[in-house]
Amino acid sequence: MLRKSMVSRDLYNQRTATFQSAMKLSIAIGQCFGLNPVIGISNIDATKVRFTFFSARCLYTIFSIMGQATMLFICILKFLRDTDTSLTSNTSLAFYSSNFMTTVLFLRMATKWPRLCLQISMTEATSPNIDMTLVKKCNMTCILVLTLALVEHILSDLSGLAAVIDCEPEKNVYEAFVKRSFPWVYVFLTYNHFIGFLSQFINIQSTFTWSFADLFIICISFYLISRLEQVNLKIVENRGKNMSQHFWRTVREDYTRAATLVRRVDEVIGAIIFISFANNLFFICLQLYNTLKDGIKATPLCREQDISRKPAVSLYEVSSSAYCVEIRRFLDQIHGDTVALSGLQFFNIKKGLVLSIAGTIVTYELVLLQFTGVTPTSSPPAAD
């Protein structure tokens, strides 16, 4: 009996794509850098996922927060001490403040993560997710995004190392490299190898957190989109058929469960979405400013709003003889509900927002072109 139960569970796991399996790789890598310190992420059983402050992972996260807070504090001291208050000179302040807040928000999210996983698991027990490409899609995205981030960081360090070797050949290479990378730190602290290593380690953590927040939102969006697509697939597969009222009630209930999951996930990660979008918009504008004054990071796009409206197209094609009260309720729910992730309810992530951000960036670029003088000008007057 036990063997039969184990075989049934193995078959179930092979035929479904669970939230745990989709997020396992990204969360495991994130924990290497002190993010989302929950226990039991590799376990399929969501009841095994738990959070405790008295764990090695949580202590590592708290250590990381303290290190990032120290770097942020030094950046604030530099900001108060310097007379140069230009945007470029204080980029480190924006960088470390945003990543410090992101790490704190991931710790806050970890306290809610076990309950979220349990709720999603209960939904999967009622309506399994059969998208077999989901796990592969999340894993490939994770590998691609983090590999590109790693390559960018390595190239940046190699550029700094080459500058040190060329400009300061008489000095210790590692010491000169660290001082060049974090000059504001050694205005207040005396250099030693331990502080140099610690500065680099915290910088690597912050750089990873900068990219991981986007990756985390993308992977969760893949899962939510997959659940909404599954509802739409059921409707499309039965297009043109006279289905019973019971069928339409079942599909509507599946849609309701998927929409409820989107709202529940939004409650847990809304703050991370907000800081991620604000961070990306700031650094895109900064890159444009630096480019025009003398690589741009992409904002994560979520499509839950568009996918949630797709079932309505198929429902309008239902014949009048098969039309019933459940279909009318379903259409009212689709058009009446807002199914989308948001940034602390300040904005919903949908096509309109993406276009607004693009318009803001274009406007900003045009203003910079005017103020930097990068515009066609008339030729200088000829000399007499």
Side-chain angles (χ1 to χ4, degrees):
M1 185 71 179
L2 178 60
R3 184 176 180 181
K4 184 177 180 181
S5 175
M6 290 175 64
V7 171
S8 299
R9 180 175 294 181
D10 290 340
L11 289 173
Y12 173 80
N13 292 335
Q14 290 172 6
R15 294 174 182 173
T16 60
T18 64
F19 182 70
Q20 293 284 95
S21 59
M23 298 299 298
K24 180 169 64 175
L25 179 62
S26 59
I27 294 177
I29 296 176
Q31 288 186 345
C32 295
F33 295 87
L35 301 174
N36 201 11
V38 293
I39 300 171
I41 58 169
S42 60
N43 204 309
I44 296 175
D45 187 358
T47 60
K48 304 295 183 181
V49 179
R50 58 192 178 89
F51 171 81
T52 175
F53 281 104
F54 303 101
S55 67
R57 300 179 192 189
C58 190
L59 292 176
Y60 175 49
T61 299
I62 293 172
F63 167 78
S64 301
I65 290 174
M66 292 173 61
Q68 291 176 16
T70 302
M71 292 291 278
L72 175 59
F73 178 70
I74 294 173
C75 288
I76 293 173
L77 289 179
K78 173 185 175 294
F79 176 78
L80 296 175
R81 178 178 179 272
D82 288 355
T83 55
D84 180 13
T85 57
S86 65
L87 182 64
T88 305
S89 64
N90 292 293
T91 301
S92 57
L93 176 60
F95 177 75
Y96 284 107
S97 60
S98 64
N99 287 300
F100 167 74
M101 288 188 287
T102 301
T103 306
V104 172
L105 289 174
F106 266 104
L107 177 59
R108 175 177 172 268
M109 185 195 70
T111 63
K112 303 177 181 181
W113 191 255
R115 188 173 179 180
L116 175 64
C117 290
L118 187 59
Q119 183 174 350
I120 293 176
S121 178
M122 292 171 63
T123 302
E124 290 172 341
T126 305
S127 175
N129 189 351
I130 58 173
D131 182 3
M132 300 312 299
T133 65
L134 175 63
V135 176
K136 183 178 179 180
K137 190 188 300 182
C138 289
N139 290 346
M140 291 300 294
T141 303
C142 181
I143 293 170
L144 178 63
V145 170
L146 296 182
T147 299
L148 291 175
L150 178 62
V151 170
E152 179 190 13
H153 186 73
I154 291 174
L155 291 176
S156 176
D157 280 356
L158 287 176
S159 174
L161 192 62
V164 165
I165 293 173
D166 289 342
C167 301
E168 305 176 70
E170 73 284 352
K171 294 185 179 179
N172 179 277
V173 175
Y174 180 73
E175 179 180 348
F177 170 71
V178 171
K179 286 184 175 180
R180 185 183 182 90
S181 301
F182 317 105
W184 64 91
V185 173
Y186 301 101
V187 172
F188 305 97
L189 299 176
T190 304
Y191 174 84
N192 61 61
H193 289 313
F194 175 74
I195 293 178
F197 171 78
L198 207 58
S199 300
Q200 269 201 304
F201 180 75
I202 294 170
N203 178 257
I204 291 171
Q205 274 192 324
S206 299
T207 304
F208 174 84
T209 301
W210 190 34
S211 298
F212 183 80
D214 295 347
L215 171 66
F216 184 77
I217 296 168
I218 290 170
C219 288
I220 287 186
S221 298
F222 280 155
Y223 177 81
L224 297 176
I225 289 170
S226 175
R227 295 209 62 90
L228 291 167
E229 284 278 21
Q230 186 169 302
V231 175
N232 187 59
L233 183 62
K234 287 182 181 179
I235 299 173
V236 172
E237 286 177 346
N238 294 280
R239 181 182 293 172
K241 300 178 182 178
N242 290 333
M243 306 304 295
S244 65
Q245 185 166 323
H246 173 73
F247 169 80
W248 292 116
R249 182 168 64 248
T250 302
V251 175
R252 183 174 62 82
E253 289 171 352
D254 287 344
Y255 177 86
T256 301
R257 280 190 286 267
T260 301
L261 278 186
V262 174
R263 296 190 187 95
R264 176 59 183 144
V265 169
D266 186 55
E267 291 174 3
V268 175
I269 70 168
I272 295 174
I273 293 173
F274 180 84
I275 194 69
S276 174
F277 269 75
N279 194 23
N280 288 333
L281 184 59
F282 172 81
F283 279 99
I284 286 173
C285 292
L286 179 65
Q287 292 282 27
L288 287 173
Y289 173 78
N290 290 333
T291 300
L292 294 176
K293 182 182 178 182
D294 299 303
I296 295 179
K297 198 167 149 49
T299 299
L301 305 182
C302 305
R303 299 182 297 125
E304 288 85 3
Q305 175 75 18
D306 303 322
I307 301 299
S308 67
R309 298 288 170 85
K310 285 180 70 175
V313 178
S314 299
L315 290 175
Y316 283 129
E317 297 178 1
V318 175
S319 63
S320 58
S321 60
Y323 190 81
C324 62
V325 66
E326 287 297 334
I327 295 178
R328 181 173 61 80
R329 288 176 178 173
F330 200 175
L331 285 169
D332 289 343
Q333 185 173 354
I334 290 171
H335 292 298
D337 285 354
T338 300
V339 183
L341 294 178
S342 69
L344 292 176
Q345 302 299 321
F346 284 106
F347 54 85
N348 292 322
I349 304 173
K350 49 188 180 181
K351 285 183 178 178
L353 175 69
V354 176
L355 293 174
S356 298
I357 292 175
T360 301
I361 293 171
V362 170
T363 303
Y364 174 78
E365 185 174 4
L366 292 174
V367 171
L368 283 180
L369 285 170
Q370 280 188 319
F371 279 95
T372 55
V374 188
T375 53
T377 55
S378 57
S379 57
D384 293 335

